[in-house]
Each structure stands twice: as C-alpha cells, then as structure tokens.
Amino acid sequence: MTITTDHVRRLLDTDAPDAALVLVDGHPEISTAPAAEGVLVVVSRDDLMRDHGQPPGEEEIRDIAQALNTAVTELGG
C-alpha cells in the first residue's frame, strides 16, 4: 500500500463534494462516499484544500503524498 502523487492529484482534481482519499482493504482509493463501512478516511479533499490554501504545486504534492504515507504507516495501515 502506497499513497502516490497520482492519488493526491486525483483527489485535488475531483469535483465531488465529499471526495476523500480512503483505504479499502489497505489499498488507497478516491471515494465519493467515504463514510462506507470498512473504509478508513486518510484525508478529505476539503481538508487538503483548507490546509494548503490553494492547489499545491508538484513539489508540495510529493510532500503531501509522503506525509500521508507516513501517517498511514504509523497507524498500522
């Protein structure tokens, strides 16, 4: 299980109001229904945009993906 820059870009590019990067059976996915049972929400699109203020550049996207990977690893995901 690795969260990649592609996952972060896809999350930022979606228009879905409740979009989130989630783990389903340990695999990262972009979901528009993150409240489903058995799904671990890593970060919502709204939280990501709020924390970074504007669409991040490529370097920041790499940093975000790395930070999300670290957070998930520390959770044991």
Side-chain angles (χ1 to χ4, degrees):
M1 183 291 317
T2 299
I3 296 171
T4 66
T5 56
D6 185 53
H7 293 112
V8 175
R9 275 191 218 97
R10 287 183 22 231
L11 179 59
L12 291 168
D13 289 344
T14 188
D15 294 353
D18 295 328
L21 176 61
V22 301
L23 293 181
V24 178
D25 294 327
H27 300 286
E29 297 179 11
I30 305 304
S31 175
T32 57
E37 189 172 325
V39 173
L40 173 66
V41 176
V42 177
V43 67
S44 72
R45 182 184 186 282
D46 288 344
D47 287 344
L48 194 58
M49 292 299 289
R50 184 181 59 241
D51 291 348
H52 296 280
Q54 59 183 334
E58 285 303 308
E59 185 174 331
E60 192 170 6
I61 287 174
R62 281 191 302 273
D63 292 345
I64 292 167
Q66 184 177 13
L68 294 174
N69 268 316
T70 299
V72 168
T73 299
E74 289 176 356
L75 287 174

